[in-house]
Amino acid sequence: MATKPTQSALPPEADNDDEPVGRILSRREILKLLGGAGAVMVIGAGVTRSGAARISAQTTTPTAVPATPAVTGTASAPFVPACVVRPALTEGPYFVDTLLERSDIRVEPSTEEPREGAQLDLMFRVYQIESGGCTPLENAQVDIWHCDADGLYSGVSREGTSGTSFLRGYQLTDAEGVAQFITIYPGWYPGRAVHIHFKVRVNGENETGYEFTSQLFFPEALTDIVHAEPPYAAKGMRNTLNETDGIYGNNGYLLLLDPEENEYGYSAVFEIALDLNAETTAQQQGPGGPARGTPAGRP
């Protein structure tokens, strides 16, 4: 299998891979969005696991997950569904808009062979911030993409993977704002901590619509365990941890997954609330935009 060029051999604009953009809403802005001091906002890496269904390894159509149970509020403190605000990060040089609608992204379509690695069942719960609270966001397009156990991305000429689409795909959120994927635990490559890229797109009244892009990270202790096993172990110890990754340093703890073991490998839930009325920063490429020789992503 082809190996990734050393970091020094990469084009200058690819050395940083991604640059942080956007910001986290302040408490004042959050309260303004939710309509008063009685609103409740959860900002952090916590997730709701109640009702989370495991994704079977034998199916490419994950089971729908029920909504988080409602909580009764009081007259002085009306109930507002928990919202989790996350920082935006640029898409980096490896986004390819393959438009592959599928839940099991492990498989390379040209060969119908799955990429090797520890199975990861990943669930997104997407909400929209509205006046007075948050509601599930239906029909949002959630794209994810990441490298394989050898640190390679599909569909990138300088990776030697042109014409492939492994570990890429999208799902539309259901009525509960849920989108689910079957993938593998990511590998690593020089200069970056272990991560998964994701993008949420919502068609608006104009042609561009709304777009939010960021990344997910993993606990180092778990990555040590996973990467000590084949096929990851053959690549050796990663050279960049979360604490030394410049992208994770931009409030990456708010994007840290908390995977749990299941009978197939691991599962994780990620919740995010989006302000669809805010000016999106996802389309800003900056120094982390498409590199030379890389298919350009969505503008």
Side-chain angles (χ1 to χ4, degrees), residues 241-264:
L241 304 179
N242 289 338
E243 64 181 12
T244 56
D245 182 286
I247 307 305
Y248 182 86
N250 186 48
N251 297 298
Y253 70 95
L254 292 174
L255 299 156
L256 188 66
L257 294 175
D258 183 21
E260 295 183 334
E261 281 194 75
N262 62 22
E263 58 186 306
Y264 307 113

Side-chain angles (χ1 to χ4, degrees), residues 7-230:
Q7 193 173 17
S8 60
L10 297 177
E13 64 270 35
D15 287 345
N16 292 329
D17 183 16
D18 310 275
E19 291 292 338
V21 299
R23 61 188 179 84
I24 301 174
L25 295 177
S26 69
R27 176 176 173 81
R28 183 185 299 271
E29 290 170 314
I30 291 167
L31 293 176
K32 181 179 179 180
L33 280 171
L34 297 184
V40 177
M41 174 69 76
V42 177
I43 303 179
V47 298
T48 302
R49 294 193 183 85
S50 59
R54 290 178 177 173
I55 306 174
S56 170
Q58 283 73 44
T59 179
T60 58
T61 306
T63 304
V65 178
T68 302
V71 177
T72 302
T74 65
S76 59
F79 169 71
V80 177
C83 298
V84 184
V85 178
R86 313 288 186 172
L89 302 173
T90 59
E91 65 191 25
Y94 300 120
F95 177 61
V96 182
D97 207 356
T98 56
L99 297 179
L100 277 173
E101 183 177 5
R102 56 181 186 165
S103 59
D104 190 343
I105 69 168
R106 298 172 299 176
V107 177
E108 166 49 45
S110 64
T111 63
E112 298 185 352
E113 292 292 329
R115 222 59 180 175
E116 293 185 359
Q119 181 170 321
L120 175 66
D121 301 336
L122 180 58
M123 177 195 300
F124 285 81
R125 287 183 181 273
V126 184
Y127 302 90
Q128 59 180 324
I129 299 173
E130 296 182 327
S131 177
C134 284
T135 58
L137 181 58
E138 186 177 5
N139 288 326
Q141 179 176 324
V142 181
D143 293 81
I144 68 170
W145 68 99
H146 62 87
C147 71
D148 66 6
D150 291 319
L152 296 174
Y153 285 84
S154 64
V156 180
S157 59
R158 64 189 179 87
E159 300 268 284
T161 59
S162 293
T164 61
S165 301
F166 57 84
L167 303 180
R168 296 182 184 274
Y170 80 86
Q171 285 281 278
L172 297 178
T173 55
D174 62 19
E176 305 300 335
V178 171
Q180 302 189 73
F181 297 90
I182 303 172
T183 186
I184 65 169
Y185 203 100
W188 68 276
Y189 52 96
R192 286 305 316 276
V194 176
H195 63 284
I196 290 177
H197 296 265
F198 74 93
K199 182 188 295 287
V200 182
R201 292 184 269 193
V202 182
N203 291 329
E205 295 181 356
N206 54 47
E207 293 182 356
T208 57
Y210 177 91
E211 187 171 302
F212 178 89
T213 305
S214 197
Q215 300 175 31
L216 304 174
F217 297 90
F218 293 82
E220 298 294 4
L222 180 58
T223 300
D224 285 341
I225 294 172
V226 175
H227 283 193
E229 301 294 331

